[in-house]
Amino acid sequence: MIKKHTLLFFIFFVLSGHVASAQVRNATPQDSTKMQWFGDAKLGIFIHWGIYAVNGIPESWSFFNNYISHTDYMKQLDGFTAAKYKPEEWARLIKASGARYAVITTKHHDGVALWDSRMGGINTKSHTPARQDVLTPFVKALRKENLKTGLYFSLPDWSYPDYDVASRTKKRYTLAQEPRRWEKFRTYYQGQLRELSERYNPDLYWFDGDWEHSAEEWESGQVRDMLVGYNKNVIINSRLSHYGDYATPEQGVPVIRPQDPYWELCLTMNDSWGYSPHDRHYKSPNQIIRTLADCIGNGGNLLLDIGPKPDGTIPEEQAAILKELGRWTKKHEEAIFGTVAGIPEGHFYGNTTLSKDRRTLYLFVTSQGTESVRVRGLASPVKGIKVVGNHTALPHEKQGNAIFINVPAREYDPEVTVLALTFDEPLRLTSPEPAKLTLTALQKAGRSDAEQDSRRLRLLADNVQAGHNPFQQTALQADGEGVAQLKLKDAETARWVQQHAEALYHTQPGLPAGHYNGATALSEDRQTLFLFVEGKPSGPIAIKGLKNKVQRIRVVGNGTLLPHQIFNKQYWSDIPGIAYIDVPADLLDPHLTVLALLLDGPAELYREDIKPIESN
């Protein structure tokens, strides 16, 4: 979607002290009032629609990277019919997904505009069998559904004869040698932006491609002033060369909470932005719902992409995902829209959000079963707890610094369950550090019920994660030998320790918070990562930000090997994809399952800001 720096450009940025990142460098103070709807919206739908859908090839990049000639790429104009285009149905489907806004590609880097621009260039009305401006009816449909309108606009136009860059290996001219041609292009693209503002008065502009020139060359400051002149409340993304209002990380879900007050992750449903009939690598609704929870839990938005076909229909797989997403967002809307980022990591293994008055805490639960859900370090007394969507009141029990909530099996959502904890005051927090579990305490623990066994073993995993491994200096061996010498009274605890001894033998604290929703440990050589899996996962287990290649995954205690899938890994980016692991129900331990991931070297983690991708 978005391009690679040339070596020269990279050197210039390094020498000038600039670092490419997802952070917004505002030239003017941010108006928090105008940003309010955006901060509350949480979910938007991105639409990549253009002639690239005809052959199902990468939008614009296919000719830019010389995978296809520009002439052959433009032959797709003849196949863009929009014969079954029903913008009202698009808008209804988008609204049904729960999205509060949509962003459509008015013009990608190939220069093909979806409206009949008076500035010249290529457009769908004059140059395709569609013979129509396809943008105007869609904007009208969005407004009819009371959805905010976002317009994507590519600053570069690799087809325009007076734009300097033609492809990765070809330039038409240099600005220093032919400044008049550059001025002609600036007049062209800024004229198109005036048209878009005058005709549609969008709520948001989503720029792309600013890396090819400096802010001064684009005249970014003047462009911002012009757009704000049309609409003082218009919101502009970060890709107008430091003159934007919010950050735009791409494809990679942030591991650590972004510092920007407003940000939005743009994400594909499969591996393609535009329609690609051969790309069947779709994420499941469960994975997308959990990604949405990741975004809102960290105070951001999700901009989820769809790619309509050249006839204007939306692929069935994409429509199905939007419908299931809509079922879930409608049920849990109070925990999503208008909320703020949740409590810091370490208090709960999963995502959380807070009501704006901080008197309601929402827990996003990704496991199912009879085990209790727990959250640590709440200093404010809990007034009440309910299942969001079902409104079922739930009892809770305080044990140490943890709150345990028993959720009946019938109350779990098939994808992600949300619990609401209410307080009489804005939520106060205390340390989430788990109570220290000693070997002596384990030895004294007598026979108990299944729930208490599970709590004890989960606390053990928490201690290992925190660096308090009670078996570190004991007779316990990696193969389970020596467990009898530990003199554990509770037979079930002894059984579990023996079966999972390798995750306790000389292991050290595992991954920092943000990479996995649970406790972890690392082997002494840091090449085996142990994941402690609570309950019955409602979908595949996810690991973010792991740079290593996973060589093998097995269930500790029985040796069963498990496959995994990688999503969101782009070959041109060093940002790791997300590793997803499905764990069959018959392999789950009744109290706490452990997986062992053999890595290709000592564990390495990606904990940087997720940046706009500038290559494809």
Side-chain angles (χ1 to χ4, degrees):
M1 173 185 175
I2 311 168
K3 150 183 180 269
K4 201 178 247 177
H5 287 59
T6 61
L7 180 59
L8 218 57
F9 189 70
F10 176 78
I11 292 172
F12 165 78
F13 254 56
V14 170
L15 293 178
S16 63
H18 290 83
V19 179
S21 78
Q23 293 181 346
V24 183
R25 303 171 181 85
N26 290 323
T28 56
Q30 198 173 72
D31 183 347
S32 60
T33 304
K34 80 169 187 178
M35 297 299 295
Q36 191 62 60
W37 75 259
F38 181 82
D40 289 344
K42 305 304 178 186
L43 176 63
I45 299 300
F46 212 176
I47 304 159
H48 275 68
W49 195 31
I51 65 170
Y52 36 86
V54 173
N55 290 344
I57 58 178
E59 61 291 336
S60 308
W61 294 99
S62 20
F63 74 81
F64 182 85
N65 288 326
N66 301 307
Y67 300 154
I68 185 175
S69 71
H70 183 265
T71 299
D72 286 337
Y73 178 92
M74 284 300 170
K75 287 178 181 178
Q76 294 178 106
L77 286 165
D78 298 332
F80 189 84
T81 66
K84 298 179 181 179
Y85 175 43
K86 295 179 180 179
E88 296 82 6
E89 290 186 5
W90 284 22
R92 284 195 293 270
L93 180 60
I94 290 168
K95 187 166 187 176
S97 75
R100 300 303 199 246
Y101 65 107
V103 178
I104 186 169
T105 51
T106 66
K107 186 186 76 167
H108 207 270
H109 312 321
D110 59 13
V112 181
L114 299 188
W115 82 102
D116 56 333
S117 175
R118 296 188 300 269
M119 298 303 298
I122 311 166
N123 64 69
T124 55
K125 183 174 183 179
S126 302
H127 301 91
T128 73
R131 292 288 179 261
Q132 60 174 310
D133 159 6
V134 294
L135 179 60
T136 299
F138 179 62
V139 172
K140 288 180 178 178
L142 288 179
R143 296 263 162 77
K144 184 178 179 181
E145 296 295 339
N146 198 29
L147 294 166
K148 295 289 187 181
T149 300
L151 302 183
Y152 168 107
F153 184 87
S154 168
L155 292 166
D157 185 332
W158 295 329
S159 297
Y160 193 74
D162 286 303
Y163 185 65
D164 61 326
V165 177
S167 73
R168 191 177 294 281
T169 57
K170 182 181 177 182
K171 287 197 70 172
R172 296 182 177 95
Y173 64 92
T174 64
L175 275 60
Q177 292 174 336
E178 300 189 58
R180 289 185 179 179
R181 292 185 71 180
W182 178 247
E183 187 57 39
K184 184 177 178 182
F185 172 73
R186 278 198 305 213
T187 299
Y188 165 71
Y189 99 79
Q190 292 175 20
Q192 288 193 321
L193 287 173
R194 287 190 181 91
E195 285 182 351
L196 293 173
S197 293
E198 291 168 357
R199 293 190 192 186
Y200 309 114
N201 189 28
D203 302 290
L204 181 151
Y205 272 106
W206 212 100
F207 287 104
D208 199 7
D210 64 341
W211 63 83
E212 286 202 333
H213 290 284
S214 67
E216 293 73 23
E217 289 168 344
W218 290 123
E219 294 183 341
S220 299
Q222 294 94 311
V223 168
R224 180 186 175 91
D225 290 343
M226 175 185 71
L227 301 178
V228 171
Y230 283 106
N231 178 359
K232 67 177 182 178
N233 292 318
V234 72
I235 294 173
I236 298 170
N237 77 335
S238 61
R239 303 186 191 189
L240 185 63
S241 293
H242 321 320
Y243 284 84
D245 296 307
Y246 70 93
T248 53
E250 184 169 340
Q251 292 288 45
V253 180
V255 174
I256 56 174
R257 185 170 294 182
Q259 296 302 304
D260 299 286
Y262 299 98
W263 61 272
E264 168 198 79
L265 170 69
C266 54
L267 183 82
T268 54
M269 288 186 174
N270 49 10
D271 294 325
S272 306
W273 293 101
Y275 172 65
S276 177
H278 308 296
D279 183 355
R280 315 299 301 172
H281 196 219
Y282 278 97
K283 302 169 184 70
S284 68
N286 179 276
Q287 290 167 313
I288 288 172
I289 288 168
R290 284 160 59 194
T291 298
L292 173 61
D294 267 337
C295 291
I296 63 178
N298 285 297
N301 291 8
L302 173 63
L303 185 63
L304 181 65
D305 183 69
I306 60 174
K309 297 179 181 180
D311 66 0
T313 56
I314 295 174
E316 291 180 5
E317 301 93 334
Q318 298 180 16
I321 288 171
L322 291 182
K323 288 173 183 176
E324 176 58 15
L325 179 59
R327 178 203 67 81
W328 187 84
T329 55
K330 183 177 181 181
K331 179 180 177 182
H332 302 99
E333 59 184 0
E334 72 167 271
I336 303 168
F337 308 108
T339 60
V340 297
I343 56 180
E345 289 163 332
H347 292 271
F348 174 69
Y349 286 137
N351 293 295
T352 63
T353 59
L354 282 163
S355 59
K356 286 184 180 178
D357 64 4
R358 297 183 62 85
R359 291 172 184 261
T360 304
L361 170 65
Y362 298 100
L363 309 179
F364 293 76
V365 181
T366 56
S367 62
Q368 301 175 343
T370 56
E371 280 188 336
S372 55
V373 175
R374 78 192 189 285
V375 57
R376 296 194 301 257
L378 304 184
S380 301
V382 176
K383 179 181 178 182
I385 302 175
K386 71 173 184 179
V387 180
V388 175
N390 299 346
H391 305 293
T392 304
L394 299 177
H396 67 279
E397 176 188 349
K398 188 171 175 62
Q399 195 173 87
N401 72 339
I403 296 290
F404 289 87
I405 309 160
N406 285 308
V407 184
R410 66 179 180 276
E411 300 294 341
Y412 283 98
D413 186 88
E415 306 297 351
V416 175
T417 305
V418 184
L419 306 182
L421 285 65
T422 55
F423 308 88
D424 280 326
E425 62 179 4
L427 176 60
R428 294 178 292 109
L429 299 173
T430 186
S431 170
E433 187 77 11
K436 194 168 184 178
L437 185 62
T438 64
L439 179 60
T440 301
L442 283 168
Q443 290 169 334
K444 289 181 178 179
R447 185 174 180 180
S448 58
D449 59 23
E451 170 65 21
Q452 290 303 319
D453 283 338
S454 293
R455 290 188 189 184
R456 184 182 306 118
L457 293 171
R458 286 187 285 169
L459 181 58
L460 171 57
D462 293 343
N463 271 253
V464 173
Q465 168 80 54
H468 307 310
N469 187 342
F471 300 107
Q472 201 68 278
Q473 305 296 326
T474 67
L476 184 67
Q477 299 298 306
D479 60 0
E481 289 292 322
V483 72
Q485 298 177 46
L486 299 177
K487 300 180 180 180
L488 301 174
K489 287 184 179 180
D490 182 62
E492 189 62 8
T493 300
R495 188 274 310 169
W496 190 92
V497 170
Q498 182 174 38
Q499 188 172 342
H500 301 93
E502 68 169 299
L504 306 170
Y505 177 75
H506 290 185
T507 52
Q508 54 187 293
L511 309 179
H515 293 274
Y516 168 68
N517 288 338
T520 60
L522 280 166
S523 60
E524 201 167 17
D525 63 3
R526 295 180 59 82
Q527 281 196 237
T528 301
L529 170 65
F530 297 100
L531 307 180
F532 296 89
V533 183
E534 299 185 8
K536 178 185 176 183
S538 61
I541 290 168
I543 309 167
K544 298 187 295 184
L546 183 63
K547 291 184 178 181
N548 302 78
K549 180 181 178 182
V550 178
Q551 308 277 45
R552 185 180 64 209
I553 302 172
R554 57 186 168 80
V555 181
V556 174
N558 66 37
T560 303
L561 298 181
L562 299 178
H564 71 288
Q565 279 190 300
I566 301 292
F567 283 88
N568 299 350
K569 174 57 185 165
Q570 313 302 323
Y571 72 88
W572 58 84
S573 170
D574 61 353
I575 300 170
I578 301 177
Y580 288 100
I581 309 165
D582 276 305
V583 186
D586 62 342
L587 296 178
L588 295 171
D589 185 89
H591 302 302
L592 186 64
T593 307
V594 184
L595 305 183
L597 282 66
L598 179 63
L599 310 179
D600 62 352
E604 291 186 75
L605 303 176
Y606 187 97
R607 293 182 62 79
E608 304 168 40
D609 286 339
I610 304 295
K611 307 168 186 177
I613 296 174
E614 298 179 347
S615 181
N616 207 327

